[in-house]
């Protein structure tokens, strides 16, 4: 028997190292929901096929080049693994080409977030590469200058290809239609592998880009028929009761439902929001879930404004916001005489808002350049102006908006990594021992104080009683990768997938002086915000291409579909591929519960349908084919968000439509009525 070639030995060593570190990180850093012998076997197998194919490229060459190529392909796979470890730790998802392509649309603050995510042990991914590099440079590894015969290199790649098909074949036995109907990237990785997921996502991104070219009116008609059949009629007791009122949409960054009434050391984290939540004129939903995907905040906005889901890969606002036709809240209300404005204390390009808001039909967009204090480093934290400063400085523009108006205020201080300077911290941190988690209640408390200051001002300015207030949390603040800390926050020994599913709840409150309030236990999610608000404002939704339901409707089906897969109803929950009794948290099994199995099949089909159809509407830009007489497409050319044009338009509006607070006060500003305890405004602040 011939001795093994040194090159083959080097190849096998690198193959083993790529496999072992990938498999270990599958177990340690990713929550893939692996169950049963088939899934466990595939988890062991799936790092191998593409690793063989990539590393085999080095076998086609001879001498030092072959060794360096093998090392480089080990490095490439390690970098991909490392990047996904970091991304998954914060977002509980895998990197996509869409999200990488939108990096510039999320500002330059991501570096700070990533720095806070990294654990020293993450760098172990590169330990083998460093050792091999040193040995190569010191010539401690024997170089086989003859190499191996090309046919063996070809056979090695064929082996990898065969293993890919073996893996895929076994996976399809366990998960039928894996690639056709999977909306959860965890499924792709646990069945096929991290490298295969990259290929799947690249193809998915390519297909999305081509969908628009192939789309036609019939595609929209099919979807509209489904939407019409599943429409929930408005509740006559609420329909139109808020017609003509100003609408404030207050976007509570990373704010989770568990914070409501939550106490630390006997103190309420959010006393102002708690009082608002329990007010007799506030309709508060305590079974309301975030449904975001990779687009996070931008997905929440897409649902809130359009009742369309974010995409499975990347951000819809970034990829399609500038080009698509939308039927959005600002555009719809604009037809009813509303002025619309969005406020955000960071750069206009964040999540492509400067383009997307034109497609939505916003008259005005006040971004960082409108806030002089945004240029002062101490006035900013993380992703923009601190909330107290942002909201106070927004008052000067609110008072100029012609009424009725639709105003969206996007807060940012309660954003990961939950940093706040000592001067602004007035609340004790939790003591879970997790540095990522423990500051969360402090920034949430700061947000609550800022909210209280805003409400006080609006009452003094005369904008409170004639307005409807909509508050919602956009997505989770604490990812499920912090399970020990989550368990401590919830007072549990450990958390189950049921607890993690419940942890996806965010607040949704609607307040108006004449609204019959109370805690509403209806199950819903962010996709339901738009139809609920439009029905309250007296806007018919029965012909709109929307995928949510009026939460106040007696015929609401009460099924919440998660963007990454799974769903929840008042009776059952499917989360991370486990099933639970929604009311008790008891884990249930399809094989033992026929009623569950029947409902799960129906709910899976519904979830796949609404996610697929919503994706088609966005990727195919299907609303451009809508010929309804009551659908007026937005002309993006009508909007100019430059500072000069905006301020000029605001000034002109005081003369042509003197319905603003400023106009009604004969030009006297109300901003002196806005009081804040922000230390940055005190004379002692530097």
């Amino acid at each position: 028997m011939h001795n093994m070639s040194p090159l083959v030995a080097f190849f096998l060593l690198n193959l083993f190292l790529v496999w072992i570190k990938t498999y270990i990180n599958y177990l340690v850093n990713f929550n893939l929901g692996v169950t049963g012998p088939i899934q466990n076997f595939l988890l062991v197998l799936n790092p191998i096929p593409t690793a063989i194919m990539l590393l085999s490229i080095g076998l086609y060459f001879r001498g030092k080049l072959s060794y360096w190529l093998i090392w480089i392909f080990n490095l490439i796979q390690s970098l991909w693994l490392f990047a996904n470890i970091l991304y998954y730790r914060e977002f509980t998802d895998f990197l996509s080409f869409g999200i990488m392509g939108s990096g510039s649309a999320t500002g330059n603050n991501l570096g700070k977030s990533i720095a806070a995510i990294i654990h020293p042990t993450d760098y172990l991914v590169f330990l083998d590469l460093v050792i091999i590099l040193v040995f190569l440079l010191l010539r401690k590894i024997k170089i086989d200058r003859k190499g191996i015969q090309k046919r063996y290199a070809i056979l090695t790649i064929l082996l990898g290809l065969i293993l890919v098909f073996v893996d895929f074949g076994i996976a399809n036995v366990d998960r039928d239609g894996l690639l056709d109907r999977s909306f959860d990237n965890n499924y792709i990785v646990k069945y096929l592998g991290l490298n295969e997921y990259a290929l799947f996502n690249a193809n998915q991104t390519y297909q999305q880009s081509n969908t628009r070219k192939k789309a036609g009116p019939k595609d929209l008609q099919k979807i509209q028929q489904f939407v019409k059949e599943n429409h929930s009629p408005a509740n006559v007791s609420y329909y139109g009761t808020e017609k003509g009122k100003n609408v404030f949409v207050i976007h509570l960054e990373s704010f989770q439902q568990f914070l409501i009434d939550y106490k630390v050391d006997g103190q309420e984290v959010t006393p102002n929001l708690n009082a608002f939540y329990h007010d007799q004129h506030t309709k508060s939903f305590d079974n309301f879930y975030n449904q975001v995907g990779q687009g996070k905040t931008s997905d929440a906005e897409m649902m809130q404004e359009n009742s369309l889901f974010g995409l499975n890969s990347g951000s819809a606002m970034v990829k399609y916001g500038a080009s698509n036709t939308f039927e959005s809240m600002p555009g719809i209300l604009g037809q009813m005489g509303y002025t619309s404005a969005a406020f955000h204390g960071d750069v206009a390009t964040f999540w492509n808002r400067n383009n997307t808001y034109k497609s939505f039909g916003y008259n005005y967009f006040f971004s960082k350049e409108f806030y002089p204090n945004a240029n002062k480093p101490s006035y900013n934290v993380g992703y923009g102006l601190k909330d107290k400063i942002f909201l106070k400085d927004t008052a000067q523009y609110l008072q100029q908006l012609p009424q009725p108006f639709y105003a969206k205020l996007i807060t940012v201080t309660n954003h990961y990594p939950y940093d706040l300077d000592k001067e602004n911290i007035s609340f004790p941190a939790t003591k879970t021992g997790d540095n990522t988690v423990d500051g969360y209640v402090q920034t949430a408390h700061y947000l609550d104080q800022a909210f209280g200051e805003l409400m006080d001002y609006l009452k003094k300015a005369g904008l409170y009683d004639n307005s409807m207030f909509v508050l919602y949390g956009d997505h989770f603040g604490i990812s499920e990768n912090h399970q020990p800390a989550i368990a401590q926050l919830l007072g549990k020994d450990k958390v189950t997938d049921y607890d993690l599913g419940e942890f996806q709840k965010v607040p949704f409150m609607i307040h108006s002086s004449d609204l019959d309030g109370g805690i509403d236990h209806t199950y819903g999610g962010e996709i339901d915000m738009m139809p609920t608000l439009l029905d309250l404002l007296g806007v018919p939704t029965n012909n709109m291409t929307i995928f949510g339901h009026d939460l106040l409707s007696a015929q609401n089906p009460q099924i919440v579909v998660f963007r990454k897969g799974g769903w929840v109803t008042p009776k059952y929950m499917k989360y991370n591929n486990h099933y639970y009794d929604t009311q008790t948290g008891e884990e249930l099994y399809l094989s033992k519960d026929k009623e569950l199995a029947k409902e799960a099949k129906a709910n899976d089909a519904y979830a796949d349908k609404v996610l697929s159809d919503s994706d088609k509407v966005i990727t195919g830009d299907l609303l451009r084919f809508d010929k309804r007489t009551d659908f007026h497409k937005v002309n993006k050319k009508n909007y100019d968000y430059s500072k000069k044009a905006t301020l000029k338009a605001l000034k002109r509006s005081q003369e042509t439509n003197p319905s603003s607070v400023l106009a009604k006060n004969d030009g006297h500003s109300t901003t002196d009525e806005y009081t804040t305890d922000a230390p940055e405004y005190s004379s002692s602040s530097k």
Side-chain angles (χ1 to χ4, degrees), residues 29-68:
N29 286 310
F30 304 130
N31 182 23
L32 300 177
V34 176
T35 57
I38 292 178
Q39 292 182 19
N40 276 285
F41 171 73
L42 291 176
L43 200 70
V44 173
L45 172 64
N46 75 40
I48 297 174
T50 50
I52 289 177
M53 296 169 71
L54 290 170
L55 296 172
S56 292
I57 293 173
L59 299 179
Y60 278 86
F61 300 87
R62 296 183 179 181
K64 292 181 181 179
L65 179 59
S66 60
Y67 288 77
W68 282 113

Side-chain angles (χ1 to χ4, degrees), residues 87-141:
Y87 189 79
Y88 195 94
R89 183 168 293 142
E90 173 56 16
F91 299 111
T92 323
D93 202 353
F94 296 94
L95 270 171
S96 70
F97 290 98
I99 209 67
M100 288 188 285
S102 64
S104 61
T106 55
N108 298 317
N109 297 304
L110 287 177
K112 184 177 181 181
S113 298
I114 292 172
I117 293 170
I118 295 177
H119 296 170
T121 52
D122 297 336
Y123 293 107
L124 291 175
V125 166
F126 303 110
L127 179 61
D128 63 308
L129 286 156
V130 173
I131 295 172
I132 292 172
L133 178 63
V134 171
F135 274 74
L136 282 171
L137 293 174
L138 295 177
R139 300 181 180 179
K140 297 295 184 181
I141 294 177

Side-chain angles (χ1 to χ4, degrees), residues 462-654:
L463 283 170
Y464 191 86
D465 290 335
N466 63 335
S467 298
M468 178 173 75
F469 295 90
V470 180
L471 278 64
Y472 77 99
D474 60 341
H475 54 74
F476 60 79
I478 302 171
S479 78
E480 58 187 49
N481 291 298
H482 301 278
Q483 292 185 26
I486 293 172
Q488 291 186 57
L489 291 175
L490 299 181
K492 297 174 177 287
D493 294 328
K494 63 178 182 178
V495 292
T496 65
D497 281 321
Y498 169 79
D499 297 317
L500 296 177
E502 289 291 276
F503 208 58
Q504 302 309 309
K505 287 182 179 179
V506 292
F508 180 48
M509 312 175 215
I510 306 171
H511 174 92
S512 180
S513 57
D514 57 2
L515 187 65
D516 184 14
I519 308 299
D520 193 311
H521 305 305
T522 299
Y523 279 73
E526 290 162 329
I527 201 75
D528 303 313
M529 289 189 284
M530 179 187 182
T532 304
L533 300 179
L534 288 179
D535 281 348
L536 282 166
L537 293 168
V539 181
T541 60
N542 53 301
N543 289 323
M544 294 182 184
T545 308
I546 57 178
F547 292 90
H549 299 270
D550 178 5
L551 294 176
L552 300 171
S553 171
Q555 296 181 41
N556 184 339
Q558 296 197 69
I559 175 171
V560 184
V561 176
F562 295 121
R563 172 70 265 194
K564 295 191 297 180
W567 39 262
V568 61
T569 70
K571 195 168 186 178
Y572 300 119
M573 173 191 286
K574 178 185 180 183
Y575 197 77
N576 285 341
N577 211 31
H578 291 266
Y579 295 90
Y580 297 91
D581 183 304
T582 305
Q583 303 304 318
T584 67
E586 177 190 358
E587 185 166 6
L588 305 172
Y589 301 91
L590 295 178
S591 59
K592 299 179 181 179
D593 192 324
K594 291 183 179 179
E595 182 182 358
L596 167 64
K598 182 179 179 180
E599 186 165 325
K601 184 177 181 180
N603 289 346
D604 282 342
Y606 176 80
D608 287 353
K609 177 66 174 172
V610 295
L611 291 171
S612 176
D613 279 2
S614 177
D615 286 351
K616 289 174 183 175
V617 170
I618 294 175
T619 59
D621 189 16
L622 297 185
L623 290 182
R624 62 192 156 120
F625 300 119
D626 199 321
K627 303 300 182 184
R628 291 176 9 238
T629 56
D630 59 343
F631 176 42
H632 302 282
K633 295 179 181 178
V634 168
N635 186 351
K636 305 177 186 75
K637 295 180 181 179
N638 290 340
Y639 307 108
D640 184 347
Y641 297 151
S642 67
K643 188 173 182 180
K644 182 179 179 180
T646 298
L647 296 181
K648 184 178 179 180
L650 273 179
K651 185 177 181 180
R652 187 170 59 249
S653 72
Q654 306 308 306

